[in-house]
Amino acid sequence: MPKVNMTTLLTINAEPIREWLKGGEPDDEKQIHRVRVCIKKLRSLLKLIRDLSDSDMPVTTINEHLKSMSQCLSGQRDHDVVCGILRDKVAKEEDVAHRESFVLIQKLLDQVYQTPGSEPAQLRRSGQVVVVMIEELPSIRLSRKKLAEYLSAKTGKICKKGHKALDKADCVQLHKLRKKIKTLFYQVRILSDAGFDMDLPTKKLKKLGNRLGRIHDYCVLEKMLGESGINKLTREKIQPAGWQRVQDYIDAQRQKYLTQSDKLYRKWCRQQNRDAG
């Protein structure tokens, strides 16, 4: 029975971290973005190994270091994303009074969430451990049949339960759904790119993950605005009407992407059900 060498896939997909360790800059946004994507890919592969391999491999330790790297980058990423949302709104807003509300809130966010960057020393240490441990892994091989059955089961579970998160429209539940979909997307894409077709199309899956990601971005913005420090400053500098404008914008954007996500989800799941039948 044909098998997939998971160690080889881990080694190949760890390349962005190796490149960054050789001379990457903590402020290079493009390179850091590649590292973030690399972390997600590696963790998705490690999940396959943990769930399908009986071998006692140090994959949990590798995953913990990848998780640490992700946490080092997440604070700065959230700040950059929400400020980008507000900048885009300011650029498109024609009403001067409305625009001023968004400008003031962006400035307040910059004051309150002045993060120290991506903690480069800790990030680099964890990256070095990840690279070394992957290089030292023995060959881990999983059968294509077992992988295909696993991914098919995961797809079925998402299609069976995902609608609850979309119907409830709760930020926490939607974020959990997004993580499951992104993990499945990376698993299928990596295997397909390596020549192991899992017979699961990824185009709609990727788009669905991106739409859910946009919802998460607005949830993060709302959470930041709900922090006590922000509220104290806004009471002094922003009128209630201005505050409401921003909240209305968050609600409208979130609803827009929720509608798009629900439509994509149903379309993708119908396609999977037809293919399974």
Side-chain angles (χ1 to χ4, degrees):
M1 182 181 297
K3 292 196 173 185
V4 179
N5 191 324
M6 302 301 290
T7 306
T8 298
L9 292 183
L10 285 169
T11 301
I12 292 170
N13 284 279
E15 185 59 27
I17 293 178
R18 282 193 291 271
E19 289 179 359
W20 179 77
L21 288 171
K22 289 177 183 176
E25 296 293 333
D27 297 328
D28 185 334
E29 291 184 12
K30 289 184 178 180
Q31 194 166 39
I32 290 300
H33 175 69
R34 286 196 293 271
V35 170
R36 285 197 193 101
V37 173
C38 174
I39 291 168
K40 292 175 184 176
K41 287 182 175 181
L42 292 176
R43 295 191 72 189
S44 297
L45 285 172
L46 290 170
K47 180 166 178 55
L48 283 176
I49 295 170
R50 290 200 309 274
D51 290 350
L52 295 176
S53 175
D54 296 328
S55 302
D56 184 19
M57 301 293 180
V59 293
T60 301
T61 304
I62 297 173
N63 187 62
E64 286 301 314
H65 282 282
L66 288 168
K67 185 177 179 181
S68 174
M69 292 178 73
S70 181
Q71 289 170 345
C72 285
L73 296 168
S74 62
Q76 187 63 44
R77 181 263 177 201
D78 287 347
H79 175 267
D80 292 344
V81 165
V82 297
C83 284
I85 287 172
L86 294 172
R87 281 195 300 270
D88 289 345
K89 176 60 176 172
V90 169
K92 296 174 183 176
E93 181 58 66
E94 296 180 358
D95 187 292
V96 175
H98 290 197
R99 185 165 60 242
E100 186 62 21
S101 300
F102 288 90
V103 170
L104 283 171
I105 284 185
Q106 183 188 335
K107 289 179 179 177
L108 292 170
L109 281 173
D110 282 333
Q111 291 175 25
V112 175
Y113 289 95
Q114 287 184 346
T115 58
S118 57
E119 303 178 55
Q122 182 181 343
L123 188 64
R124 189 170 291 275
R125 281 195 299 272
S126 291
Q128 289 168 340
V129 172
V130 166
V131 168
V132 169
M133 291 191 74
I134 288 176
E135 289 174 350
E136 294 177 348
L137 281 175
S139 177
I140 305 170
R141 295 178 179 273
L142 298 176
S143 76
R144 289 179 61 178
K145 182 180 178 182
K146 188 183 287 189
L147 285 166
E149 290 173 349
Y150 173 91
L151 294 172
S152 179
K154 287 294 180 183
T155 300
K157 191 173 291 186
I158 288 172
C159 286
K160 185 177 181 180
K161 298 183 177 180
H163 67 90
K164 293 180 181 178
L166 289 162
D167 290 344
K168 192 174 181 181
D170 173 73
C171 283
V172 174
Q173 295 304 315
L174 287 170
H175 184 47
K176 288 180 180 179
L177 176 62
R178 174 185 173 247
K179 289 198 291 185
K180 289 177 182 177
I181 286 171
K182 293 294 282 187
T183 296
L184 179 62
F185 166 73
Y186 284 124
Q187 289 168 341
V188 175
R189 172 59 67 84
I190 291 169
L191 289 167
S192 297
D193 288 347
F196 305 104
D197 187 9
M198 294 293 110
D199 198 28
L200 284 170
T202 59
K203 189 174 180 179
K204 288 188 181 70
L205 195 61
K206 180 180 181 180
K207 195 178 288 188
L208 177 57
N210 290 341
R211 293 292 183 273
L212 290 169
R214 293 299 289 166
I215 296 172
H216 178 65
D217 293 341
Y218 285 97
C219 287
V220 170
L221 173 55
E222 184 175 57
K223 182 180 178 181
M224 285 185 173
L225 296 178
E227 298 288 343
S228 58
I230 291 286
N231 286 335
K232 194 179 295 181
L233 289 167
T234 53
R235 280 197 294 269
E236 299 172 4
K237 296 189 176 184
I238 300 179
Q239 296 297 318
W243 179 266
Q244 191 60 47
R245 284 187 204 107
V246 177
Q247 184 61 56
D248 289 346
Y249 177 68
I250 291 172
D251 292 341
Q253 291 296 103
R254 200 158 48 193
Q255 184 57 50
K256 179 181 80 172
Y257 288 112
L258 182 63
T259 300
Q260 292 178 358
S261 297
D262 186 69
K263 184 178 179 181
L264 271 168
Y265 167 80
R266 294 178 188 280
K267 189 179 292 186
W268 180 69
C269 286
R270 281 198 300 270
Q271 182 179 352
Q272 303 318 304
N273 291 332
R274 283 198 302 269
D275 292 345

